[in-house]
Amino acid sequence: MKILIIRLSSIGDIVLTTPVIRCVKEQAADAELHFLTKSSFAGVLKNNPYIDKLHLHDGDLSKTVSMLEEENFDYVIDLHHNLRSLKLKLRLAVKSSSFNKLNIQKWLLVNFKINTLPDLHIVDRYLKTAEKLGVRNDGKGLDYFLEKEYDLSQMLPPSHQNYVGFVIGGAHATKRLPQEKIVEACQLIRKPVVLLGGKEDKQGGEQIADQAGDHVFNACGSFNLDESAYLVKMAEKIITHDTGLMHIAAAFNKPIISVWGNTVPEFGMYPYKVDWHRCMEVKGLGCRPCSKIGYPKCPLKHFRCMNEINTERIAELANS
């Protein structure tokens, strides 16, 4: 049986599909498993041994459809479920199942603070799309496969071979702690700290490291995704916003301190199947969640969901 899984973006969402990939490959009889994602996210899956063929979408839908039509798939599992993936399914014209995004329930929670969402992680909801194939959750959690084992001594200074990782980035400003709050937390941590993030976080990381002290090393923008994932794997603990590296940390079953701003764990995207997780959030705010994704700045201008995060508690958890 030739099966195509679709999830076009982004890093965290793709990592959250890995139990579906593994379970379909291992449980669907004689499955030949293909996966479609955007070219920019190929690195997340290129080393996954459960994928027989990785297809990359470069933005040209007609080109992608032509490429996929040549494969003659028997079944499509649509874990993206948007207009683009709908067009793909219509053109391929094979049996399919689609992920239920529960957009109405999310809208009710965001706009009226009425929570009708199921108490179910998004991974378990992803897996429901494969039930028609006889696939069930194997309970093994997320996967992330490194290209290789890197040499930590060549990546970090001798003073930071044992460290707490602090993921300072996030796709939207309202999902990130203000810089001064990160500095505050870092100053209270009594262990070496390595700041993790992309090139867009490099300047902010330098400012945080300068202000927080010599025990803080800025690795933001110095490493690619796979190398950053290795630094996550080697950390003693991970402090992170609601972002892709949080889910990579969960794939490595790292102890995680997750920090939540305008989004909430109730959306079902908290760290999945980890042995130790502590959630930092400001409860009781009538404005939260204000979005299922995020904003460039707080719509109400007070940003209490992040400004009132207890940095002493973050440091206490990191130091324990």
Side-chain angles (χ1 to χ4, degrees):
M1 192 176 192
K2 206 169 190 179
I3 300 167
L4 173 68
I5 298 176
I6 301 172
R7 180 70 217 193
L8 299 173
S9 62
S10 48
I11 293 172
D13 297 290
I14 294 168
V15 173
L16 289 167
T17 70
T18 56
V20 183
I21 297 168
R22 181 183 64 246
C23 290
V24 169
K25 182 61 179 175
E26 291 190 332
Q27 297 176 33
D30 299 319
E32 181 181 325
L33 185 61
H34 295 226
F35 198 104
L36 174 68
T37 193
K38 287 183 179 179
S39 303
S40 53
F41 299 110
V44 183
L45 294 174
K46 68 178 182 179
N47 302 307
N48 191 310
Y50 300 111
I51 297 174
D52 293 298
K53 189 171 182 180
L54 183 62
H55 300 272
L56 302 178
H57 174 59
D58 62 4
D60 186 334
L61 192 63
S62 295
K63 179 181 172 184
T64 299
V65 168
S66 298
M67 172 182 67
L68 296 176
E69 283 177 331
E70 294 178 2
E71 298 290 348
N72 295 312
F73 291 109
D74 298 298
Y75 200 85
V76 174
I77 297 173
D78 180 7
L79 299 181
H80 207 110
H81 200 189
N82 65 357
L83 184 60
R84 188 180 291 118
S85 66
L86 174 61
K87 289 178 179 178
L88 283 167
K89 286 181 295 184
L90 289 173
R91 289 284 299 275
L92 293 175
V94 298
K95 290 181 181 179
S96 65
S97 54
S98 300
F99 169 63
N100 185 354
K101 287 187 170 182
L102 302 178
N103 284 333
I104 293 174
Q105 291 90 334
K106 291 176 184 176
W107 183 83
L108 285 171
L109 183 54
V110 168
N111 291 282
F112 296 102
K113 310 304 178 265
I114 299 171
N115 188 5
T116 59
L117 287 164
D119 185 15
L120 200 63
H121 197 281
I122 193 170
V123 169
D124 298 298
R125 294 201 284 119
Y126 275 161
L127 278 159
K128 285 184 177 294
T129 60
E131 285 182 350
K132 291 179 182 177
L133 300 176
V135 172
R136 298 292 181 268
N137 193 345
D138 62 10
K140 295 179 181 178
L142 307 179
D143 287 324
Y144 185 90
F145 296 95
L146 292 164
E147 186 171 344
K148 65 178 183 178
E149 289 294 316
Y150 298 90
D151 185 349
L152 192 64
S153 67
Q154 298 298 310
M155 301 172 77
L156 300 177
S159 56
H160 285 73
Q161 295 300 295
N162 298 289
Y163 57 92
V164 172
F166 200 139
V167 181
I168 67 170
H172 301 276
T174 52
K175 295 175 77 172
R176 303 191 298 262
L177 280 165
Q179 191 169 297
E180 62 270 19
K181 296 287 285 187
I182 298 176
V183 171
E184 234 176 71
C186 287
Q187 287 175 333
L188 294 168
I189 296 172
R190 299 189 302 272
K191 300 175 180 180
V193 176
V194 173
L195 304 180
L196 300 169
K199 291 179 181 178
E200 68 278 7
D201 305 307
K202 187 176 182 65
Q203 184 177 353
E206 288 173 356
Q207 293 169 352
I208 291 165
D210 287 343
Q211 295 173 51
D214 293 339
H215 70 299
V216 179
F217 178 82
N218 178 32
C220 297
S222 298
F223 302 101
N224 64 28
L225 176 63
D226 203 61
E227 292 165 334
S228 296
Y230 179 74
L231 293 179
V232 166
K233 179 185 178 183
M234 298 306 292
E236 178 185 319
K237 285 179 182 172
I238 291 291
I239 305 166
T240 177
H241 302 126
D242 172 20
T243 189
L245 285 181
M246 178 179 77
H247 300 299
I248 290 176
F252 291 127
N253 195 17
K254 303 306 297 183
I256 296 171
I257 304 163
S258 64
V259 183
W260 300 77
N262 77 279
T263 57
V264 292
E266 285 80 4
F267 285 142
M269 299 184 72
Y270 47 88
Y272 187 66
K273 289 195 179 298
V274 293
D275 294 335
W276 191 94
H277 169 231
R278 298 294 182 270
C279 176
M280 296 296 302
E281 59 180 329
V282 179
K283 290 184 175 291
L285 293 178
C287 55
R288 182 173 175 266
C290 64
S291 165
K292 64 179 182 180
I293 302 174
Y295 291 110
K297 60 182 179 181
C298 172
L300 299 180
K301 298 182 172 57
H302 56 62
F303 203 25
R304 289 179 60 193
C305 62
M306 281 301 194
N307 283 328
E308 294 182 11
I309 288 286
N310 188 338
T311 52
E312 289 185 7
R313 179 60 178 157
I314 290 176
E316 180 185 338
L317 291 167
N319 288 327
S320 63

